[in-house]
Amino acid sequence: MDIYYIDRKTGEKKKEVVAGERFLKWIYDTKQGNTLLELLVKKKVFSFLYGKLQDMSWSKRKIKKFVENLSIDMTEADRENIYDYENFNDFFARKLKETARPISKDCEQLISPADGRVLAYENIDMNRMVQIKGNFYKLEELFQDNELARNYEEGTCIIVRLCPADYHRFHFPDSGVPGTSKQIKGQYYSVNPMALGKLTDIYCRNKREITFFRSDHFGEIVFVEVGATCVGSIIQTYIPDKHVKKGGEKGYFKFGGSTVILFLKKNKVKIDEDIVYNTQKGIETKANMGETLGKRIVNQ
């Protein structure tokens, strides 16, 4: 299964370079792979131990090949020299230069919280949330809170899927006040479309963290970070109950592809037309942190 996305800057349809593609295909497409997936790969211990290996100093030997294979632009990083990183996780969670991700200052615009491939759904049905085309889940199961789920009926869902090649820090899409992050235990399935198309409810099965964010211009946003295979940890770096700036850092993922999902209430945001169009066609749109995803709906 080849994965394609739309490069927002050029409008070009591109094939995604998938890190560990052969392993993913074997795990999700073969009987032997499925057996190993259920016995070991989906479990916390596998991702925990793999994450610990990326903290060891010898793991930095992988950086050069990783950068070359995935065409990572190191001129954006605050430490451009790959030999300046202590280990692979240090590199993976690298910070960028402030100029690398311009942030829209317009308070009417909602920005992407992360680099990644975006899908966006308006007027959502809380009992039939789209995981990937033809595959659904219930919002109550994701939140583990039926009352909270009901508050976002007919609202907007924005999914940002981060690939291993992406910048792996996530940020606030507007200024406002975040609450304390709620951790929900779960498994560690891949969030790559290869896996999303094979297994239902992956977002609801996987480990995740949920934060209630009172934004200044878009109302009450629910911010969800979903862990995945080989994601050693989801690290929150923000201070709860303290006002944050638009684009301020919320946290970061250690090694592995991951997902950030935003939920906004009804009539709060109008998603940009190109993202809506591509989503309806079942294809993701590549966007960077700080880029506009939609505009505030001003109630009459």
Side-chain angles (χ1 to χ4, degrees):
M1 173 186 174
D2 291 331
I3 302 167
Y4 293 90
Y5 63 91
I6 301 297
D7 185 321
R8 201 176 192 194
K9 293 180 179 178
T10 65
E12 181 183 359
K13 185 177 182 180
K14 293 185 176 181
K15 182 180 177 180
E16 182 175 318
V17 178
V18 180
E21 182 174 11
R22 291 177 62 184
F23 177 71
L24 280 172
K25 285 183 176 179
W26 181 76
I27 282 288
Y28 288 94
D29 289 345
T30 70
K31 184 177 180 180
Q32 298 92 334
N34 284 174
T35 299
L36 184 62
L37 171 67
E38 294 301 320
L39 289 176
L40 178 62
V41 176
K42 74 172 187 179
K43 297 184 182 298
K44 178 180 179 179
V45 64
F46 178 83
S47 293
F48 176 79
L49 291 175
Y50 192 89
K52 286 297 182 184
L53 291 176
Q54 310 317 307
D55 284 332
M56 295 184 176
S57 60
W58 58 262
S59 67
K60 64 184 177 183
R61 292 179 295 183
K62 299 171 28 178
I63 298 173
K64 185 175 185 294
K65 188 175 181 180
F66 191 86
V67 168
E68 292 172 352
N69 290 346
L70 298 181
S71 301
I72 296 172
D73 183 3
M74 290 303 294
T75 64
E76 295 181 334
D78 64 348
R79 286 177 283 168
E80 294 186 31
N81 191 332
I82 62 172
Y83 300 105
D84 288 341
Y85 295 92
E86 295 181 3
N87 52 55
F88 190 80
N89 260 333
D90 185 33
F91 154 76
F92 190 77
R94 63 194 176 278
K95 292 188 175 184
L96 301 183
K97 298 170 183 172
E98 290 186 11
T99 55
R101 294 293 180 270
I103 296 169
S104 171
K105 302 299 183 183
D106 188 343
C107 64
E108 299 294 310
Q109 296 179 340
L110 185 80
I111 64 169
S112 178
D115 284 14
R117 287 117 183 97
V118 179
L119 294 170
Y121 302 92
E122 298 176 311
N123 193 31
I124 59 176
D125 179 347
M126 60 177 279
N127 292 312
R128 194 173 170 80
M129 300 293 302
V130 179
Q131 176 175 280
I132 200 168
K133 191 174 182 179
N135 203 330
F136 305 92
Y137 64 96
K138 292 183 178 181
L139 191 53
E140 176 186 359
E141 294 174 356
L142 179 71
F143 290 166
Q144 291 195 354
D145 185 326
N146 183 55
E147 183 177 353
L148 182 61
R150 286 202 305 269
N151 289 336
Y152 290 84
E153 175 75 6
E154 299 183 355
T156 299
C157 171
I158 301 169
I159 303 169
V160 185
R161 179 176 64 88
L162 291 73
C163 297
D166 290 324
Y167 164 64
H168 262 67
R169 291 180 180 260
F170 43 89
H171 299 250
F172 291 102
D174 186 30
S175 58
V177 180
T180 301
S181 178
K182 173 186 176 183
Q183 297 184 12
I184 298 178
K185 294 181 180 180
Q187 306 297 337
Y188 292 79
Y189 291 103
S190 171
V191 293
N192 186 281
M194 292 182 196
L196 295 175
K198 296 284 184 179
L199 298 171
T200 60
D201 305 337
I202 282 182
Y203 298 145
C204 303
R205 297 189 196 192
N206 276 16
K207 172 187 176 181
R208 54 204 181 275
E209 298 199 9
I210 298 177
T211 308
F212 192 72
F213 178 49
R214 293 180 175 82
S215 77
D216 289 338
H217 306 100
F218 294 89
E220 298 167 336
I221 299 175
V222 175
F223 204 120
V224 184
E225 297 98 16
V226 182
T229 305
C230 296
V231 176
S233 299
I234 301 171
I235 308 296
Q236 304 290 350
T237 59
Y238 76 98
I239 300 174
D241 302 320
K242 182 178 180 180
H243 192 270
V244 297
K245 293 182 179 179
K246 184 179 186 180
E249 184 182 297
K250 185 177 187 291
Y252 63 89
F253 295 103
K254 289 193 175 182
F255 180 72
S258 312
T259 299
V260 173
I261 311 176
L262 301 179
F263 292 92
L264 294 90
K265 291 186 176 180
K266 182 179 179 180
N267 294 329
K268 292 297 182 181
V269 65
K270 179 69 180 82
I271 299 299
D272 290 345
E273 290 184 3
D274 63 322
I275 295 175
V276 172
Y277 177 81
N278 293 336
T279 299
Q280 291 173 345
K281 296 293 184 181
I283 188 166
E284 298 165 311
T285 304
K286 177 65 173 69
N288 285 338
M289 192 283 291
E291 285 187 30
T292 301
L293 297 183
K295 188 173 183 180
R296 179 169 66 146
I297 295 174
V298 180
N299 296 324
Q300 301 297 321

